[in-house]
């Protein structure tokens, strides 16, 4: 079995400020995850903003150096002391997809030039092979070359451009794709197009995903495993269906309880004293003349 | 009752004039929470600006009007022409991305005192503001802070405190929780619901999240490409939507515990710059026929209080269960 993702005592401390004031933020606090499987998997990392999700993603993408600990992706040590994997091999192991596709592409460049560059520079293809790799990657996300040829980012909707950035991530044939909030900028009505695409790429192209999100419903929908993060710590980790249907940690319960579902109304306990509104305004200077 | 009479609102741009709200008619009864839903760019924020009467270049009310069902101090009925005099006191507005609309270099307390024209005793108002803010779950000291010293959730509570302080009859809130985490979002929405219950006023709430609408709203308006496509009681809309677009919006959401496959709505709304004919949703609609592509459906009351603009709103094909 392959070790798809393993983190060992992974820590990241950001130090802020100058010599005089130094505040520290423990963005990752001893993260230990281990997922072994023969089949590709989708692992979700959920949690509120500031919980350390992006820092975890950046550590795996080698955009951030961990303070201590190690991370392994598909049996390759990718982060921590003693990492040996070379750049090319690394890029064929892990590829990113970011939250805002409009920031991932310069508005002054045609998007197909990015795809081509990834194919030649990162994947090391010759010109002809690059074109073929481009076609293959685009067709995997339901696009054709003519849909992107000569176009600038502003000619796409957010969802379409995100598909282009997924195509780009596929070109080096990475084993794991790290997607940090990939649908949060996309209309709810079109999120499922991207989410279903991840499922399809897992099943057909055998890619694994680390899906980072604060949207628990889509995480439930696509994940095999789920890690719940709070303040730099993984508070609960396990099989996605088990965690979501039988959460053990209070924080997981709180998150699940806060989702606005369309199936069951929230329990409503009064959140403010019953007389606030009346007491405050009656006779007050701004009392509207009600007619 | 707020009445929108065939409202057409347009933006003047370098390319010409575009109608971002294109003939919306609606009656909103007093004392309820009304949601406005639809994909980004469908005209939700523009409609809110029109209702608030915040109309100025490049936005114009090209035709139609809004009646608010109340009169001003001189007894004149309030419409879109004179609603501006009622700002803060009888109608208030929490604009989209209001989290950044607090002035960053001025303390909250001063913004609280400045945001309406002052008549009363400052010290007295300040005391009231303090007690109000406290009851909305914020520390009293928060009004002595600068906006950047507060978290996103706290800033949004301040915005809501400002918008509700004078108990206006109408409160407009444009995506008030979109940028917030679920836990904070829930607390803010519950706060709004509580305030509405106690004040008995009308809240109009924009959100693109159907879950938020299900939890919070009594009635809902669904917009598509500058048009109203469905309006009615939220319960009814979630159980028996009339418009295929509404049904697809509801069905595109995954739910925890439900393992059925979910599909997004493929394609995208037509550009408002194109010459549009027929039903604007026809290109993406599984039920569309030639009639839909050619003849624009009218906004019709198919069931009591439940309106839709679809040629097949009451047809068999469209009445399958919402899952
Ligand atoms: N470059 C940085 N420098 C200092 N602090 C940072 C930096 N990046 C993130 N942080 C802090 O680390 C914590 C975790 O942030 P992040 O990983 O972005 O969380 P999430 O993605 O879950 O919102 C936060 O407190 C954040 O403010
Ligand atoms: N200031 C503006 N100038 C020109 N067009 C605008 C302006 N604001 C919005 N629009 C256009 O009006 C349409 C409706 O926008 P908006 O009301 O903001 O939609 P929503 O709130 O539903 O996302 C969009 O097509 C948008 O591009
Ligand atoms: Mg993040
Ligand atoms: Mg808007």
């Amino acid at each position: 079995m392959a070790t798809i993702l393993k983190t060992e005592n992974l820590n990241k401390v950001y130090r802020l400020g100058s010599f005089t004031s130094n505040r520290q933020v423990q963005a990752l606090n001893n993260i230990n995850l281990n997922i072994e499987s023969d089949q590709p998997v989708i692992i979700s990392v959920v949690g509120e903003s500031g919980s350390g999700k992006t820092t975890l993603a950046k550590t795996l993408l080698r955009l951030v150096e961990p303070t201590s600990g190690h991370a392994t992706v598909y049996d390759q040590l990718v982060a921590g002391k003693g990492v040996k994997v070379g750049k090319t091999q690394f890029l064929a192991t892990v590829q990113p997809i970011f939250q805002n596709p409009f920031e991932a592409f310069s508005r002054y460049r045609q998007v197909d030039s990015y795809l081509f560059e990834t194919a030649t520079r990162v994947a090391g293809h010759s010109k002809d092979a690059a074109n073929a790799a481009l076609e293959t990657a685009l067709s995997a996300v339901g696009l054709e070359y003519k849909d992107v040829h000569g176009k600038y980012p502003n000619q796409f909707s957010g969802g379409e451009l995100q598909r282009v950035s997924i195509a780009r991530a596929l070109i080096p044939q990475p084993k794991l794709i790290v997607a940090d909030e990939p649908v949060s900028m996309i209309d709810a009505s079109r999120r499922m197009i991207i989410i279903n695409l991840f499922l399809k790429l897992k099943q057909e192209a055998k890619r694994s995903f680390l899906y980072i999100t604060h949207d628990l419903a889509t995480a439930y929908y696509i994940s095999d495993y789920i890690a719940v993060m709070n303040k730099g710590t993984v508070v609960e980790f396990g099989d996605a269906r088990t965690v979501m249907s039988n959460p053990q940690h209070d924080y997981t319960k709180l998150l699940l309880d806060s989702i606005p579902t369309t199936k069951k109304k929230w329990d409503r306990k009064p959140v403010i004293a019953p007389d606030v509104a009346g007491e405050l305004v009656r006779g007050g200077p701004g009392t509207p003349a009600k007619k | 009752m707020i009445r929108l009479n065939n409202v057409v609102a347009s933006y003047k741009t370098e390319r010409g004039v575009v109608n971002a709200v294109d003939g919306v008619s609606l009656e909103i009864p007093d004392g309820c929470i009304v949601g406005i839903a639809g994909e980004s760019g469908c005209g939700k924020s523009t409609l809110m600006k029109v209702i608030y009467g915040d109309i100025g270049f490049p936005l114009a009310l090209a035709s139609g009007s809004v009646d608010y069902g109340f009169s001003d101090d001189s007894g004149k009925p309030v419409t879109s022409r004179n609603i501006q005099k009622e700002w803060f006191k009888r109608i208030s507005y929490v604009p989209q991305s209001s989290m950044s609309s607090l002035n960053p270099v001025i303390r909250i307390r001063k913004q609280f005192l400045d945001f309406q024209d002052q008549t009363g005793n400052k010290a007295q108002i300040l005391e009231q503001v303090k007690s109000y803010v406290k009851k909305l779950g914020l520390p009293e000291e928060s009004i002595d802070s600068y906006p950047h010293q507060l978290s996103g959730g706290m800033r949004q509570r301040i915005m809501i405190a400002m918008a509700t302080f004078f108990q206006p009859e109408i409160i407009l809130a444009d995506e008030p929780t979109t940028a917030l985490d679920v836990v904070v979002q829930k607390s803010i929405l519950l706060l709004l619901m509580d305030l509405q219950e106690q004040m008995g006023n009308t809240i109009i709430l924009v959100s693109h999240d159907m879950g938020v609408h299900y939890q919070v709203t009594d009635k809902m308006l669904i917009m598509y490409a500058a048009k109203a496509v469905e309006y009615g009681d939220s319960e009814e809309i979630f159980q028996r939507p009339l418009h295929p677009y509404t049904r697809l919006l509801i069905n595109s959401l995954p739910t925890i515990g439900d393992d059925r496959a979910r599909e997004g709505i493929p394609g995208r709304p037509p550009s408002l710059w194109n010459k549009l004919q027929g039903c604007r949703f026809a290109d993406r609609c599984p039920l569309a026929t030639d009639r839909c592509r050619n003849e624009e459906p009218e906004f019709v009351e198919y069931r009591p209080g439940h309106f839709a603009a679809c040629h097949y709103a009451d047809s068999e094909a469209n009445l399958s269960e919402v899952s």
Side-chain angles (χ1 to χ4, degrees):
Chain A
M1 273 206 283
T3 298
I4 292 179
L5 174 67
K6 184 173 182 182
T7 64
E8 294 161 280
N9 298 326
L10 197 62
N11 282 285
K12 176 66 193 177
V13 179
Y14 291 109
R15 287 172 215 283
L16 306 167
S18 54
F19 292 108
T20 45
S21 76
N22 69 62
R23 224 162 54 75
Q24 300 192 344
V25 179
Q26 179 110 29
L28 296 178
N29 188 356
N30 256 359
I31 307 293
N32 286 291
L33 299 171
N34 189 12
I35 295 130
E36 297 180 358
S37 171
D38 290 328
Q39 294 301 317
V41 295
I42 299 183
I43 307 152
S44 286
V45 179
V46 302
E48 292 177 276
S49 55
S51 59
K53 306 182 298 294
T54 295
T55 303
L56 177 60
K58 286 187 170 166
T59 311
L60 300 178
L61 290 164
R62 304 217 295 197
L63 300 171
V64 153
E65 188 67 28
T67 308
S68 64
H70 292 94
T72 304
V73 173
Y74 274 90
D75 300 317
Q76 296 272 356
L77 191 60
V78 296
K81 291 220 163 55
V83 171
K84 288 197 196 68
V85 58
K87 191 167 181 224
T88 319
Q89 195 185 0
F90 173 73
L91 293 171
T93 307
V94 193
Q95 279 288 317
I97 299 168
F98 295 109
Q99 175 171 8
N100 187 347
F102 291 99
E103 281 171 11
F105 295 95
S106 157
R107 43 199 277 236
Y108 305 109
R109 251 179 86 181
Q110 297 169 352
V111 298
D112 48 336
S113 74
Y114 276 94
L115 299 174
F116 197 76
E117 188 179 278
T118 305
T120 51
R121 289 230 200 124
V122 180
H125 289 303
S126 67
K127 229 177 148 189
D128 286 344
N131 282 325
L134 227 123
E135 298 271 2
T136 312
L138 283 168
S139 94
V141 302
L143 293 171
E144 290 178 48
Y145 186 62
K146 68 169 170 47
D147 298 329
V148 300
H149 181 61
K151 283 198 187 164
Y152 291 90
N154 66 3
Q155 292 172 278
F156 295 89
S157 72
E160 287 165 346
L161 196 60
Q162 195 60 296
R163 270 153 66 194
V164 178
S165 67
I166 296 167
R168 178 162 87 130
L170 288 171
I171 291 173
Q173 309 254 5
K175 299 194 171 90
L176 178 73
I177 292 176
V178 173
D180 191 359
E181 309 261 10
V183 295
S184 59
M185 310 279 293
I186 296 169
D187 259 307
S189 59
R190 265 169 293 181
R191 280 185 194 161
M192 290 315 291
I193 296 170
I194 302 289
I195 297 294
N196 284 328
L197 179 60
F198 288 168
L199 270 182
K200 191 183 116 189
L201 290 171
K202 177 185 102 167
Q203 281 148 9
E204 293 172 13
K206 305 289 177 214
R207 307 287 154 209
S208 285
F209 286 85
L210 187 75
Y211 173 56
I212 293 176
T213 185
H214 57 257
D215 178 7
L216 280 77
T218 54
Y220 173 86
Y221 183 88
I222 55 165
S223 320
D224 302 293
Y225 296 92
I226 195 159
V228 182
M229 286 191 75
N230 185 25
K231 300 195 180 112
T233 307
V234 171
V235 297
E236 192 159 355
F237 172 66
D239 171 74
R241 261 133 205 85
T242 313
V243 168
M244 302 285 244
S245 57
N246 189 15
Q248 296 300 308
H249 197 281
D250 282 348
Y251 183 71
T252 313
K253 290 180 195 166
L254 176 67
L255 279 183
L256 286 166
D257 192 47
S258 303
I259 302 173
T261 72
T262 56
K263 301 296 162 197
K264 185 179 164 288
K265 295 247 162 117
W266 286 330
D267 283 337
R268 286 193 54 202
K269 296 175 214 89
V271 289
I272 45 172
D275 55 343
V276 173
E279 171 192 304
L280 188 76
V281 177
R282 212 164 293 130
T287 308
K290 292 241 158 88
K291 283 179 187 117
Chain B
M1 172 135 70
I2 305 171
R3 196 175 274 122
L4 308 189
N5 311 303
N6 202 14
V7 167
V8 179
S10 58
Y11 289 101
K12 197 174 230 159
T13 74
E14 285 170 9
R15 278 175 77 183
V17 173
V18 66
N19 290 343
V21 171
D22 201 357
V24 171
S25 295
L26 211 62
E27 288 182 351
I28 300 174
D30 290 336
C32 64
I33 304 185
V34 179
I36 305 181
E39 284 162 283
S40 55
C42 70
K44 304 182 296 293
S45 295
T46 306
L47 188 59
M48 292 290 261
K49 284 184 216 157
V50 169
I51 297 174
Y52 192 52
D54 188 6
I55 303 164
F57 186 81
L59 178 63
L61 185 58
S63 66
S65 63
V66 185
D67 299 320
Y68 296 85
F70 50 69
S71 307
D72 67 9
D73 289 343
S74 67
K76 251 193 12 214
V78 173
T79 70
S80 21
R81 312 225 174 280
N82 54 353
I83 184 72
Q84 297 78 9
K85 292 203 200 78
E86 315 297 329
W87 283 1
F88 304 117
K89 304 256 157 102
R90 302 183 70 178
I91 185 165
S92 65
Y93 178 40
V94 182
Q96 189 165 2
S97 73
S98 61
M99 305 242 280
S100 49
S101 68
L102 286 164
N103 188 327
V105 297
I106 298 177
R107 284 182 204 278
I108 301 282
R109 63 147 83 207
K110 184 151 179 354
Q111 304 197 38
F112 233 111
L113 294 174
D114 285 353
F115 81 100
Q116 54 251 319
D117 58 341
Q118 276 308 297
T119 41
N121 172 331
K122 273 201 176 171
Q124 192 193 343
I125 296 179
L126 202 60
E127 273 316 299
Q128 291 179 322
V129 168
K130 271 193 180 162
S131 107
Y132 189 55
V133 152
K134 201 167 145 193
K135 286 180 169 152
L136 298 194
L138 287 158
E140 258 179 64
E141 312 81 70
S142 56
I143 67 163
D144 293 320
S145 320
Y146 291 98
H148 73 263
Q149 296 174 310
L150 305 175
S151 69
M154 282 166 104
R155 281 200 296 260
Q156 202 59 333
R157 270 169 204 262
I158 292 280
M159 291 304 298
I160 287 171
M162 288 187 180
T164 54
F165 183 62
F166 286 104
Q167 285 201 305
E169 280 111 312
I170 304 164
I171 296 171
L172 308 171
D174 194 348
E175 309 260 14
T177 58
T178 297
L180 302 173
D181 282 308
V182 281
V183 178
V184 184
Q185 161 166 284
K186 181 177 176 184
S187 71
I188 299 240
L189 292 174
L190 290 176
L191 173 66
L192 266 181
M193 290 163 85
D194 258 26
L195 285 168
Q196 190 275 334
E197 230 158 65
Q198 291 178 30
M199 298 182 181
N201 49 15
T202 300
I203 295 183
I204 306 180
L205 174 84
V206 168
S207 174
H208 66 263
D209 184 339
M210 294 298 271
V212 167
H213 288 288
Y214 178 78
Q215 295 294 338
V216 175
T217 64
D218 302 305
K219 292 176 97 59
M220 278 185 84
L221 169 69
I222 321 289
M223 292 184 70
Y224 188 80
K227 295 274 182 190
V229 296
E230 182 154 5
Y231 179 59
D233 289 345
S234 305
E235 292 274 337
E236 170 86 5
I237 285 183
F238 276 96
Q239 268 169 32
R240 296 197 302 155
L242 288 169
H243 201 288
Y245 178 60
T246 311
R247 176 183 312 278
L248 288 170
L249 274 184
I250 298 170
N251 285 350
S252 65
L253 290 176
T255 306
I256 290 174
D258 181 343
D259 289 325
R260 279 175 296 180
R262 297 273 154 179
E263 304 289 336
I265 311 177
R268 56 165 148 167
S271 163
L272 299 174
W273 293 100
N274 295 348
K275 193 175 157 9
L276 299 169
Q277 66 165 19
C279 171
R280 294 181 178 189
F281 187 57
D283 279 351
R284 300 167 78 188
C285 182
L287 301 180
T289 62
D290 280 346
R291 183 176 175 208
C292 302
R293 284 179 274 273
N294 295 314
E295 184 190 327
E296 183 175 336
E298 276 177 58
F299 198 57
V300 176
E301 187 169 12
Y302 283 94
R303 303 181 196 133
H306 193 169
F307 297 76
C310 171
H311 294 306
Y312 300 101
D314 53 358
S315 81
E316 282 294 315
N318 193 23
L319 287 179
S320 58
E321 278 286 294
V322 173
S323 54

